[in-house]
């Protein structure tokens, strides 16, 4: 049994080649939910959905989010209708009072659907509608995700990191904003003073997550701050990782990042934006997979390969390096 920690696009790209190296029946993915938002009354779970869509064979692999070939009729009509009604199409984060007066699973994540600032496909929207409806009926996010995994015929287990709400909030010099507003609406441009995982102090990993963390764990080439950080903020998770075997894949080549806002976020958290900084962020890691061009000395067992992932073959190569790293530290 092997567990992947997933957030953003790094780990899903890695998972694309995992079935060639590991038996899918032995794989569990624990996905970040700090990026989740409620938009127009629907709960959107980007990191869960990327895994659902990738393993379900419908992911748009050009963008690495959303469903391939999806239409956006409802999204376009909603934006057009909003503009004709006199509203702008930027993000409309609800007031602090309204952040906590709705369903508990939406706390600190609530945006109005007016002007819909995120592009939501029509088939994608159906997933969010079903998820939100099941949650409203009283099902947990774990139970709901399991039903969606069945609907997409997944051959692996997928778990949200918690059934409790956690929201990644970016503190800028001018305001505090949800990560999706920072990244989608503002393109990651605002200066960052701090990153907050709001609600983490009241959130717990589920029993299913803690059980999965007892198996060898692979941290994919994800953003250490906003993709993996929310999971590490949960009580008991760092301790569980310290007790098991962990292999982490670097998203850097030295201090060069493949994609995304990780460098800016790490620097804001006073962590070097580099492979060395990634290793510092994961003191529980027993071994690493880094790029063969990376000169960084980590002082822990390391396997090197070309860690660029642009195809299924690339993914399989990196997953094979991960299996070698697990063997190196006695976990395979």
């Amino acid at each position: 049994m092997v567990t992947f920690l997933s957030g953003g696009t790094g780990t899903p790209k890695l998972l694309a080649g995992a079935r060639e190296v590991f038996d899918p029946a032995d794989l569990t993915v624990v996905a970040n939910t700090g990026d989740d938002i409620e938009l127009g009354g629907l709960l959107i779970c980007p990191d869960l959905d990327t895994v659902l869509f990738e393993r379900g064979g419908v992911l748009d692999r050009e963008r690495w989010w959303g469903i391939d070939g999806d239409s956006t009729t409802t999204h376009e009509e909603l934006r057009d209708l909003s503009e004709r009604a006199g509203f702008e199409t930027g993000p409309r984060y609800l007031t602090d009072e309204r952040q906590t007066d709705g369903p508990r699973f939406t706390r600190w994540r609530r945006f109005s659907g007016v002007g819909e600032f995120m592009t939501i496909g029509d088939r994608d929207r159906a997933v969010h509608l079903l998820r939100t409806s099941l949650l409203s009926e009283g099902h947990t996010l774990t139970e709901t995700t399991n039903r969606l995994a069945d609907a997409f015929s997944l051959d692996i287990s997928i778990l949200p990191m918690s059934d409790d709400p956690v929201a990644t909030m970016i503190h800028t010099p001018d305001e505090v904003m949800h990560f999706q507003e920072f990244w989608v609406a503002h393109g990651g441009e605002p200066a960052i003073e701090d990153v907050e995982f709001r609600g983490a102090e009241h959130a717990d990993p589920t029993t299913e997550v803690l059980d999965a963390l007892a198996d060898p764990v692979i941290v994919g080439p994800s953003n250490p701050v906003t993709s993996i950080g929310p999971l590490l903020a949960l009580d008991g998770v760092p301790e569980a990782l310290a007790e098991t075997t962990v292999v982490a894949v670097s998203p850097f080549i030295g201090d060069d990042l493949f994609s995304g806002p990780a460098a800016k976020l790490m620097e804001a958290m006073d962590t070097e934006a580099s492979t060395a900084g990634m290793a510092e962020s994961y003191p529980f890691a027993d071994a690493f997979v880094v790029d063969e061009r990376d000169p960084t000395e980590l002082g822990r067992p390391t396997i090197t390969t070309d860690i660029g992932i642009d195809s299924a073959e690339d993914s399989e190569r990196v997953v094979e390096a991960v299996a070698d790293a697990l063997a190196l530290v006695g976990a395979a």
Side-chain angles (χ1 to χ4, degrees):
M1 304 297 289
V2 176
T3 297
F4 285 77
L5 305 188
S6 184
T9 62
T11 302
K13 288 181 178 180
L14 191 65
L15 286 167
R19 61 169 52 89
E20 305 300 328
V21 180
F22 298 108
D23 184 343
D26 293 337
L27 296 182
T28 298
V29 176
V30 176
N32 169 46
T33 57
D35 293 357
D36 294 4
I37 70 167
E38 184 201 57
L39 183 59
L42 300 181
L43 185 67
I44 301 170
C45 302
D47 291 341
L48 281 169
D49 289 344
T50 300
V51 176
L52 280 172
F53 298 162
E54 192 282 321
R55 298 305 289 197
V58 299
L59 180 68
D60 183 335
R61 294 176 181 273
E62 293 296 318
R63 301 180 301 178
W64 278 91
W65 58 269
I67 293 176
D68 188 35
D70 203 356
S71 58
T72 55
T73 303
T74 302
H75 171 73
E76 292 165 10
E77 179 64 21
L78 179 54
R79 285 174 68 90
D80 181 61
L81 186 61
S82 297
E83 288 180 337
R84 286 190 280 121
F87 297 104
E88 297 181 356
T89 55
R92 299 169 67 91
Y93 190 70
L94 300 188
T95 63
D96 287 348
E97 179 180 290
R98 292 191 178 278
Q99 289 298 328
T100 55
D101 69 2
R104 183 172 182 271
F105 60 80
T106 68
R107 287 183 177 178
W108 313 292
R109 304 156 155 181
R110 304 189 71 195
F111 287 83
S112 166
V114 175
E116 196 162 76
F117 76 98
M118 294 178 69
T119 301
I120 308 297
D122 295 319
R123 293 174 62 197
D124 194 359
R125 193 181 303 274
V127 173
H128 311 321
L129 179 55
L130 178 58
R131 172 189 292 121
T132 307
S133 297
L134 289 171
L135 290 168
S136 297
E137 288 181 4
H139 297 277
T140 66
L141 185 58
T142 297
E143 293 166 345
T144 298
T145 302
N146 186 54
R147 290 300 187 101
L148 288 169
D150 288 344
F152 282 94
S153 301
L154 262 63
D155 54 1
I156 64 171
S157 296
I158 178 171
L159 299 169
M161 68 182 197
S162 178
D163 286 330
D164 301 314
V166 177
T168 298
M169 307 297 292
I170 306 299
H171 291 242
T172 77
D174 299 321
E175 60 181 311
V176 179
M177 64 181 70
H178 190 279
F179 176 76
Q180 295 296 350
E181 182 172 352
F182 166 80
W183 184 238
V184 177
H186 299 291
E189 290 296 324
I192 304 171
E193 293 185 338
D194 196 12
V195 179
E196 172 193 0
F197 304 120
R198 188 169 294 177
E201 68 276 17
H202 302 298
D204 294 307
T206 62
T207 300
E208 293 89 342
V209 165
L210 291 176
D211 288 345
L213 296 184
D215 295 321
V217 171
I218 298 164
V219 183
S222 297
N223 181 330
V225 179
T226 55
S227 292
I228 304 300
L231 179 60
L232 300 182
L234 298 179
D235 186 44
V237 169
E239 294 81 0
L241 292 171
E243 293 296 320
T244 194
T245 301
V246 179
V247 170
V249 182
S250 178
F252 292 89
I253 300 177
D255 57 3
D256 293 328
L257 179 68
F258 277 104
S259 65
K264 186 173 185 176
L265 288 158
M266 291 174 73
E267 289 167 354
M269 301 298 286
D270 295 322
T271 301
E272 181 180 319
S274 65
T275 296
M278 177 274 304
E280 179 185 341
S281 300
Y282 303 147
F284 46 78
D286 300 286
F288 297 96
V289 174
V290 304
D291 195 85
E292 58 197 5
R293 296 161 289 177
D294 194 328
T296 309
E297 294 291 336
L298 296 177
R300 281 176 269 180
T302 302
I303 296 291
T304 61
T305 189
D306 178 354
I307 61 172
I309 302 177
D310 296 310
S311 67
E313 292 75 17
D314 292 339
S315 175
E316 184 177 346
R317 178 187 63 249
V318 179
V319 176
E320 287 174 346
V322 167
D324 290 342
L326 286 172
L328 187 64
V329 291

